[in-house]
Amino acid sequence: MAALRLLRRLLPLSGTRLVRPRSAGAPSSVPERIAEKRRAALLGGGQARIDAQHKRGKLTARERILLLLDPGSFVEYDMFVEHRCADFGMESDQNKYPGDSVVTGQGRINGRLAYVFSQDFTVFGGSLSGAHAQKICKIMDQAVMVGAPVIGLNDSGGARIQEGVESLAGYADIFLRNVLCSGVVPQISLIMGPCAGGAVYSPALTDFTFMVKDTSYLFITGPDVVKSVTNEDVTQEQLGGAKTHTAVSGVAHRAFENDVDALLNLREFFNYLPLSNRDPAPVRKCHDPSNRLVPELDTVVPMESTKAYDMVDIVHSIVDEREFFEIMPSYARNIIVGFARMNGRTVGILGNQPKVASGTAQEYGGIIRHGAKLLFAFAEATVPKITIITRKAYGGAYDVMSSKHLRGDVNYAWPTAEVAVMGAKGAVRIIFRGKETDAEAEYVNKFANPFPAAVRGFVDDIIEPSTTRIRICRDLEVLASKTQSNPWKKHANIPL
Amino acid sequence: MAASLRQMVVGAWRRPDRHLLALQCATRHSRWCLITSHTLYTAEYDPNEKTFEKLLIANRGEIACRVIKTCKKMGIKTVAIHSDVDSSAVHVKMADEAVCVGPAPTSKSYLNMDAIMEAIKKTRAQAVHPGYGFLSENKEFARRLASEGVTFIGPDTHAIQAMGDKIESKLLAKNAKVNTIPGFDGVVKDADEAVRIAREIGYPVMIKASAGGGGKGMRIAWSDEQTREGFRFSSQEAASSFGDDRLLIEKFIDNPRHIEIQVLADKHDNALWLNERECSIQRRNQKVVEEAPSTFLDPETRRAMGEQAVALAKAVKYSSAGTVEFLVDTRKNFYFLEMNTRLQVEHPITECITGLDLVQEMIRVAKGYPLRHKQADIPINGWAVECRVYAEDPYKSFGLPSIGRLSQYQEPLHVSNVRVDSGIQEGSDINIYYDPMISKLITYGSDRAEALQRMEEALDNYVIRGVTHNIALLREVIIHPRFVQGDVSTKFLPDVYPDGFKGHKLTDLEKRELLAIATSLYVAEQLRSQQFLGSPRISLAKLDLNNWELLVQLGDGTYSVTVSNNGSTFSVDVDGMKLNVTSEWNLASPLSSVTIDGTQRTIQCLSRDAAGNISIQFLGTVYKLRILTKLAAELSKYMPEKAVEDTTSILRSPMPGAVVVVSVKPGDLVSEGQEICVIEAMKMQNSLIAAKSGKVKAVHCKAGETVGEGDLLVELE
C-alpha cells in the first residue's frame, strides 16, 4: 500500500484505480490509453509482485530510483517500450508490461547529471529481453554523448529464456557499450538482487561494483548447477553473496547493509567522481582549513620499527573532515584504497598496511603479476601524484608505490622513513658473509632512514609529519594545471 | 562477590600497587592557565631569590609538566625522566633535558631508583621533585638523595616514614590532639581476634592493610562473618602486596565526607593551613570531582581542622606541602584519616582560591627559605572546582579504563577561568602502563555557581576523540541538584546512580533541542553536498530545498521533524513546536556553537554517515540518531531486520602470523581495551585487545603457535 502512496506522489492519480487493464471492451481514446499505459508502467509487475519484492526486504525499481536521485529530478525514457517476443504465449496482452522489466532515464544527484537503469524484478523477474537491453543501450549511448555517468541498479533473474538468442544479443550489446564507455564516463553497478550467468559481466566491466548484504548475489552458475557438476553443497550466499565478493573474490568493491543504505551511500560516492573524462573532478565546498596542522601525525609511527600502526588513522587525519570512502575495505587488507577530498578536491588514496607476508602462497597466487598491475597503474597515470613515505619503503615496494622514478610529482619522506633495497639483516648477510654483527648496525645507520633517497633527490623533501596536509593541499593546487601524456599507442597492455 | 572480584582485577590491572599512582597528563596546545589566566594565580616569582640551578622531576605526565612550568618561572633548569614509550611525551619535550630510565613498566622506569639516581648524577641535578605517586612518599628514595647531597623537594625522611605508616601516623595524631577514629592497628592474630576487635569498636568497621594507602583494598564489615572475610582478604593483601602483616581495623563512618586540609610548612617551625578541599565525589575510593572550599564547613570547623592539621605537621617537624585528610560526618565531627606527605593531585583548586603556587613554595622551603605568608594572609578567594578527566567508560562501574590514541584533542582553554593540567597532546597514546587520567580540568569563579557554570561550559568544549572518556559522568555530577546544593558524601555516585550511570536524561525540551540541532546539521550537510566550486555542470533548475520533512530515530522514539532554512538559521518544527536554530554550521569543526531560541549550546558531532546515522555529544552525553527523509524512512520499513552478530565476544586473528603472547586464561576478567594476545606477522607485533569487558570463556591459541587470518583466538562470555 505504501508503494501505491508513493506512486500517487509521483503522479497525481487521485480517483483512479491502480489496476492493470486487461482485455478492455470498447477501445479507449488515445489520451486515455496514454494515461493507462503510464499507470501500468508505474505499477510494474503489479501490486502482488511489489508486495513480494518488499517481503524479500527489497525495494522496487522505481523506489530505488526515487531514493537515488534528487527529488523530482528523474526523467524517464521508454516507458512505452514493450517486449517483442511472440513465442510461448508471450505475445498476449497479459504478458505485455509497458516499459518491460527495466526502468531507465536520467536525473540528478546533488544537482549533477546521472543516467540510471533499474531492473524491475516484478516484471518477469527482471529478466533481460531484447527490449530491456535496448533501453539500457539507449541511455548508455546518450550518457557517452553528453558525458555523464551511468548507474546500473541490478536485480534480474537473467536472460529472458522465451526470447533466446535475442536476449543474448542484448547482453552483448550492453557489454560492448560497457567496454566503450570505460574510461569515458564513470560506470557504477549496484547489485540489489540476483545477477547470474552472462549477466554478471556487465557489472564486472563497470568501474565499481557494489552489493547489498544478504539480498544480492553474483555468480556464473548457481548452487544447483554447482551441485550437479562438482557435487559441492553451497548456498547462494556462500557462492556469490556480498561477503564472498567483497572479502574473498574481490569482484565487488563494497557492500552495504540494505537497499536504503546502499542508495544513500551511492549518492555520497557519486559526489567524488567526475562526470566524464572531459570534466574535472568535482571540488566540493570545504570547511576544513587547508593549512591545518595535524600534530597527531608526529607520533603516529611507533618508535619500535617492528610495531604496527594503522594507515587508515593517518588518512583520516589528513583528509578533509576525516571523510574517507574506502573501496574494497575487506579485500587485500594490506593495501587501503579509497576516495577522499583535500581542500574540497577529490583525491584517490592508496596506502600500505603493514601486513604483507612473503611465502609460497604469495608466489603461487601470482604476486608478481598483481604487483606489476599496481606498478603499471602508477606509472601510466598522468594525474597529479603525491607520495609520502611514512616508514618502510624496502625493495620493490619502494619503486612500485609511485616512486619518483614512476613520475611521482611530489615525493616526501617522513623522518621515520626507511628507504633501502632490503632489511638490514638480510642485506648484511649478503654483503658480509659471516661477520655480520657490527655491520648490521652500520647498515641500519646508513640506510634505515630517509637520507639515501633524499640526497639523490628521489624524495623532494623530508617533512614534519604534522605538515603533511598543508603540503598536499598546496601541491595539489600547483599540480592542478599539470599536463602530461603518454606516447601514442593503440592501447596500453596492463598485465592482467 | 563477583563485583568486588572484578574491582580487584581491574584494580590490579590498573596498577598493582597504589604507590604506582602515575597520572597522565598536558598538551603542547595546553597553554595552561598559569600563564593564560591571571586570575587563577597571583604568586610572585622573585628572580633574585636563588634556589636551584637544575631540578630533576622524578615523574611523568601532567604533574611533571606542572612542576616544569613553575621551574621555568623560577629560572630553574629542568630534567625529565621517562620510560622508553614516553620518549616523545609532553613532559620530555618541555624539559631542558631528558633521560630515559628504562622500559615501560613502572617498576623498571619511574620506580627504578638506580636508574633515576644515575640520571641525577649524569645531569648534575641539585634537587628532585617527585610529583605524586611513584617515589613521592618513598623514604628510601629520600634517603638515597640525601646521601648524595641532592635535595628532595618534600618533607624529610622522618615525616615520610611517620606519616606513611597508618598506625604510627594515627598515634602521632592522637598525641598531637588531632581527632582520630576509634580503632585498632597492629598485627591481628586470626579472624577471631579480628571479630573481637570489631565488636569492641562497634559495627560497621573498616579493615585494611596498614601499609596500604587510600581506599585500596579497603573492606567494610557489618557483621562478624564479613569481618572474617575482610580479615582473610586484607591480611593476604598485606602480606603479598606490602610484605607487612599489620592490619587496621577501625570504626567505619557511614556516609562521610572526605575533606582535606592543605598544609604548608617550612624548616623554621612555621606552618600554615591553606584551607580545605572537598573530595567527596569518588568512585571506588578514587576522587573524581574536587572543590575548594567545601560548602559544608563553617569558619569554626575550618579553623579547628586547620589548626589540628598544623599541629600534626608541627608534631612531625613537617616541612613542604602536605595534606591532612579527614572524614567528616553529618554532624561536622571530623576524624583524622591520613597525611599525604606530597603534592596532591587536586592541589590546583587550593592554588586557585589562595593564589599560592604550591610547587614554588615547596621548592623555596626545600631550599631553606622561610614561608612568606602568615596564616592571616591566606585568603579564600572565590571558588574552584576540579574534574578529573579520565580515559574510561563511565557507563561501566562509573569508569573502566580504556586505552587508545587521542586522534583529536583540544582543551577548552578558550573558556575563561579554566585551567587544564595535562601531560598529553593530540596523538598521545593512553596505554596500559600508566594511569588513564587525561587531564585535570579546573575552573574558577567568584562564587561556586560561577565556577560550576564555567565547568559545564569547559566540559562541553573539551574535544577528546580516540579514547572513551568520562565527560558525561563529570557533567552529570556537577549539574546534579544534590551536588549543586552541596549535599554530597563519598557514597554520592552509588546513591545517585544505584543502577549505574546511564548518561544524561533528556527533558522534553532538551530532546526537542537535540532533534532540532541534529536535523539542522543534517540539512546543512545535505545543502553543502550540492555546493561545488569552479564551473561544474550543475542543473540550473533549482530544486525546492527550503523544506525538509525528516523522520528521526532517537532511542526508542521516532520523531517527525520539519526543517526550513533561511541562511544560517534553520526553523525547525518538532512535534508541533517551532525552534530557531542558528550556527556557523562549520562541518569540519569538532565543536559547534549553536543557538536555539536564544539558548546557547555547544555540541560535538562525533560521526555522521551517508545513511543518516549521526552521533552528537549534547549536554555531555553522546546520543545516536538516525535521520532520514520521509521517503527514505517510509521505504526503510521494508528493510529486513538483521540479527547483529556479536563480534565483541570473540577475538579472531586479523592476519596470519605467530602468537607471541597470550595474556589471558579462561576465567580471567578482562576490561575493554585490555590486551588479549599479541600476534607477530612480518616482524610486526600486533596487540589484540578485548572489544568489551567480560570473562574469558575459552582460549584457542597459545604462544608460539601459528594462526591464520580469521582463526578464532579467544572467546569471552
Side-chain angles (χ1 to χ4, degrees), chain B residues 391-692:
Chain B
E392 58 182 27
D393 185 349
Y395 296 88
K396 295 171 186 160
S397 317
F398 300 114
L400 287 187
S402 86
I403 56 171
R405 275 186 89 239
L406 288 165
S407 56
Q408 277 177 292
Y409 183 76
Q410 205 174 300
E411 294 177 349
L413 294 168
H414 54 286
V415 180
S416 65
N417 285 338
V418 169
R419 165 173 171 175
V420 184
D421 281 19
S422 64
I424 41 88
Q425 63 187 28
E426 192 167 300
S428 291
D429 253 323
I430 307 282
N431 57 37
I432 55 162
Y433 298 111
Y434 311 113
D435 192 275
M437 190 163 90
I438 295 171
S439 77
K440 304 183 313 208
L441 178 61
I442 303 116
T443 60
Y444 174 78
S446 58
D447 56 23
R448 189 167 184 261
E450 193 184 326
L452 290 178
Q453 173 57 41
R454 293 235 164 86
M455 183 56 84
E456 247 181 80
E457 214 181 311
L459 288 167
D460 284 341
N461 280 278
Y462 206 149
V463 178
I464 304 168
R465 307 282 163 80
V467 295
T468 312
H469 56 75
N470 65 339
I471 298 268
L473 175 67
L474 295 171
R475 201 183 185 285
E476 280 307 286
V477 167
I478 61 146
I479 64 164
H480 195 279
R482 267 190 60 185
F483 181 86
V484 172
Q485 286 158 23
D487 174 17
V488 297
S489 79
T490 51
K491 292 158 104 186
F492 179 87
L493 290 177
D495 277 358
V496 169
Y497 308 106
D499 305 321
F501 179 63
K502 306 266 190 257
H504 181 73
K505 193 161 176 355
L506 294 169
T507 64
D508 280 353
L509 179 64
E510 286 167 349
K511 190 181 280 175
R512 284 198 188 96
E513 286 183 5
L514 174 60
L515 291 168
I517 293 170
T519 49
S520 298
L521 198 65
Y522 171 87
V523 172
E525 163 138 61
Q526 292 292 314
L527 292 173
R528 201 268 303 260
S529 298
Q530 308 176 0
Q531 293 178 304
F532 297 99
L533 308 179
S535 47
R537 294 156 47 205
I538 302 271
S539 174
L540 293 176
K542 281 285 163 228
L543 293 165
D544 173 24
L545 293 171
N546 292 331
N547 272 296
W548 297 74
E549 285 186 37
L550 304 171
L551 276 178
V552 187
Q553 258 175 38
L554 168 63
D556 297 331
T558 304
Y559 306 86
S560 177
V561 180
T562 313
V563 183
S564 49
N565 90 297
N566 179 13
S568 61
T569 298
F570 291 88
S571 175
V572 187
D573 193 309
V574 187
D575 287 343
M577 189 178 174
K578 261 223 156 37
L579 295 152
N580 283 307
V581 188
T582 309
S583 172
E584 274 185 31
W585 305 116
N586 181 320
L587 297 167
S589 167
L591 284 174
S592 302
S593 174
V594 182
T595 308
I596 313 150
D597 284 346
T599 309
Q600 192 274 337
R601 301 282 191 199
T602 301
I603 62 120
Q604 302 189 25
C605 177
L606 304 182
S607 69
R608 47 173 204 270
D609 67 20
N613 298 300
I614 181 166
S615 48
I616 290 181
Q617 184 179 321
F618 175 64
L619 304 172
T621 293
V622 177
Y623 296 94
K624 292 190 161 77
L625 302 97
R626 182 155 199 216
I627 305 175
L628 291 172
T629 60
K630 223 172 156 190
L631 172 70
E634 233 167 79
L635 295 177
S636 276
K637 66 168 167 276
Y638 300 120
M639 296 299 101
E641 293 274 340
K642 293 186 184 179
V644 183
E645 191 195 18
D646 184 15
T647 51
T648 57
S649 298
I650 50 167
L651 181 72
R652 291 181 184 279
S653 178
M655 70 208 85
V659 181
V660 181
V661 187
V662 181
S663 317
V664 296
K665 54 184 189 309
D668 281 2
L669 291 166
V670 295
S671 48
E672 185 182 333
Q674 188 178 338
E675 181 176 286
I676 299 276
C677 63
V678 177
I679 303 284
E680 185 177 293
M682 195 65 185
K683 292 184 206 147
M684 293 289 175
Q685 299 218 336
N686 299 276
S687 172
L688 307 182
I689 58 171
K692 65 166 192 188

Side-chain angles (χ1 to χ4, degrees), chain A residues 450-459 461-462:
Chain A
F451 296 117
V455 296
R456 287 166 178 81
F458 297 162
V459 296
D461 202 353
I462 302 170

Side-chain angles (χ1 to χ4, degrees), chain B residues 20-40:
Chain B
L20 307 192
L21 183 86
L23 298 189
Q24 292 217 242
C25 322
T27 141
R28 179 154 87 175
H29 308 292
S30 132
R31 272 148 305 233
W32 142 291
C33 70
L34 295 194
I35 298 155
T36 53
S37 192
H38 303 287
T39 46
L40 305 194

